[in-house]
Amino acid sequence: MKDMTAIRPDHAPADHPAIAPEKIGVLIANLGTPDAYDYRSMRRYLNEFLSDKRVIDYPSWKWQPLLQLVILTKRPFSSGKAYKSIWNEAENESPLLTITKQQTAKLAEAMQQEYGDRVMVDYCMRYGNPSTKDKVRAMVEAGCRKILFFPLYPHYAGATSGTANDQFFRALMQETWQPVARTVEPYFDHPAYIEALAQSIERAYANLSKRPDILVCSYHGMPQRYLTEGDPYHCQCQKTTRLLRERLGWDKTRIISTFQSVFGPEEWLKPYTVEEVARLAKAGKKRIAVCAPAFSADCVETLEEINDEIRESFEEAGGEEFTYIPCLNDDDAHIAALGDVIRDNLKGWIG
């Protein structure tokens, strides 16, 4: 898109192209979303996602035949069914995309109030659309000579923040005149993020007639091997749970960390949420609440997996009351926390 405010620099020759006024870009990034839940859309999205070496690091000669000939002939149907069950039909998009748009709009408004037109806020997806490459290009064309790249993952993992950053750097490689760039570090222990989480738990509990026996903090899983290879994700998740417990003033018996979305034959981080909720039910914990602190926005892993597969596991084991506490999404306290993180990372660039 051509910037209509672009002007010819002072003292430049008459034929010098107009240049857009210099800005700072804040580009927030999330995992991604298929364009639709039909077979072809799902296959295209899953192929991009599952071909990422940060996600599945098996040798290509071993993994790609299995992916192309087996997994991608079946999984688009089951994944498409899951997406269809939560799809935002009114906007014809996934809830993740809807929520990311809402978050972006609120963050853009907050930055506009503080910095005026000097800061531009937009969003991209690691997989699917809008792509990181297209949004970096748009920011450069709009005059962004500095870009703050913000993966919306509170906790660092190679398969989330790492691959999002990789894609951002690849996009920069395509730019003739590269902008100065920064990436945002994980904010899993940021006081404002912990406060937003705590407030969401307190609100949810206040609306229940009976207090849950235990709160399950269900984090996205990863192979155990990644932890032993140096990925800090597991430790950061455990710290978030501890800080949340301390803020709520609870003892250790009232909150636990678990891991969901297990895939493939390897051992993943444990305990597995789907198994742990069944164990809790059998152990007499008949009322539980589940939250998902590692997700900045509700998506198929929360709206479908937690509210369907994990809920079913709990109820089939004798559980009676299952409460899912939504992600922070565009909650005002969450937006304020993200705004604090952005301001911290803009220091030295803008006053």
Side-chain angles (χ1 to χ4, degrees):
M1 180 184 297
K2 185 176 181 181
D3 191 332
M4 300 306 294
T5 64
I7 59 174
R8 182 172 57 84
D10 291 340
H11 311 299
D15 61 350
H16 193 289
I19 298 176
E22 186 171 315
K23 298 178 183 178
I24 295 173
V26 176
L27 185 57
I28 66 174
N30 217 316
L31 179 73
T33 172
D35 295 325
Y37 49 76
D38 62 278
Y39 176 83
R40 290 187 180 278
S41 296
M42 289 305 311
R43 181 177 178 116
R44 183 167 57 250
Y45 173 73
L46 290 172
N47 183 49
E48 184 180 9
F49 174 48
L50 296 176
S51 292
D52 186 347
K53 286 286 191 178
R54 287 277 201 174
V55 176
I56 306 292
D57 64 354
Y58 300 149
S60 296
W61 65 266
K62 179 186 295 185
W63 173 242
Q64 281 297 322
L66 177 62
L67 176 65
Q68 301 299 328
L69 300 177
V70 179
I71 296 173
L72 291 181
T73 61
K74 300 179 179 179
R75 187 154 180 173
F77 290 109
S78 58
S79 294
K81 182 179 179 181
Y83 270 96
K84 183 177 181 180
S85 71
I86 64 166
W87 201 252
N88 180 352
E89 296 290 354
E91 300 294 331
N92 191 28
E93 62 190 23
S94 73
L96 176 65
L97 182 54
T98 301
I99 294 166
T100 303
K101 287 179 177 179
Q102 294 167 344
Q103 293 170 325
T104 303
K106 287 191 173 183
L107 286 170
E109 181 180 1
M111 295 301 109
Q112 172 72 27
Q113 291 177 357
E114 188 156 352
Y115 303 117
D117 293 334
R118 293 180 294 167
V119 173
M120 172 184 179
V121 181
D122 208 343
Y123 73 96
C124 65
M125 298 293 177
R126 169 61 183 89
Y127 312 105
N129 296 303
S131 72
T132 306
K133 178 182 177 181
D134 287 347
K135 287 305 180 83
V136 167
R137 179 90 286 275
M139 281 192 161
V140 171
E141 289 181 344
C144 294
R145 295 303 313 138
K146 298 180 176 70
I147 297 179
L148 176 66
F149 186 68
F150 190 0
L152 284 188
Y153 305 106
H155 313 80
Y156 176 90
T160 54
S161 304
T163 188
N165 289 336
D166 289 347
Q167 198 72 348
F168 175 56
F169 300 143
R170 291 189 191 101
L172 293 178
M173 291 171 64
Q174 303 300 312
E175 295 301 321
T176 302
W177 185 4
Q178 288 183 330
V180 177
R182 288 178 179 173
T183 60
V184 174
E185 66 179 347
Y187 56 98
F188 63 95
D189 57 355
H190 194 289
Y193 162 68
I194 298 298
E195 180 62 27
L197 278 178
Q199 290 181 16
S200 73
I201 303 301
E202 290 170 337
R203 285 196 303 269
Y205 274 43
N207 290 327
L208 298 174
S209 58
K210 292 184 179 180
R211 189 183 194 91
D213 298 316
I214 195 166
L215 173 65
V216 178
C217 294
S218 182
Y219 297 89
H220 199 286
M222 69 163 53
Q224 175 73 25
R225 173 170 54 85
Y226 290 10
L227 170 61
T228 60
E229 290 174 351
D231 195 300
Y233 177 74
H234 178 266
C235 299
Q236 293 180 359
C237 291
Q238 297 291 0
K239 186 172 183 180
T240 291
T241 300
R242 176 177 65 79
L243 292 173
L244 177 60
R245 175 179 61 79
E246 291 173 355
R247 161 57 181 80
L248 292 168
W250 293 358
D251 63 50
K252 295 180 180 179
T253 64
R254 293 177 57 189
I255 185 171
I256 60 171
S257 298
T258 63
F259 299 89
Q260 65 183 82
S261 308
V262 177
F263 175 77
E266 283 192 80
E267 180 177 316
W268 281 43
L269 298 178
K270 292 184 176 180
Y272 300 151
T273 305
V274 69
E275 295 179 357
E276 184 64 11
V277 297
R279 188 195 69 77
L280 289 171
K282 292 174 183 177
K285 306 293 186 184
K286 300 302 182 182
R287 294 186 299 275
I288 69 170
V290 179
C291 66
F295 296 88
S296 62
D298 275 305
C299 54
V300 69
E301 285 87 359
T302 62
L303 298 174
E304 196 280 332
E305 184 179 355
I306 290 179
N307 258 332
D308 188 355
E309 178 186 356
I310 292 170
R311 177 191 293 270
E312 183 178 310
S313 176
F314 176 69
E315 293 175 347
E316 287 185 350
E320 297 173 0
E321 293 183 26
F322 182 99
T323 300
Y324 171 61
I325 300 173
C327 294
L328 294 177
N329 297 324
D330 67 337
D331 177 77
D332 287 344
H334 187 213
I335 298 302
L338 297 178
D340 285 348
V341 173
I342 290 172
R343 292 183 194 93
D344 288 344
N345 282 270
L346 288 179
K347 289 178 179 177
W349 277 4
I350 193 169

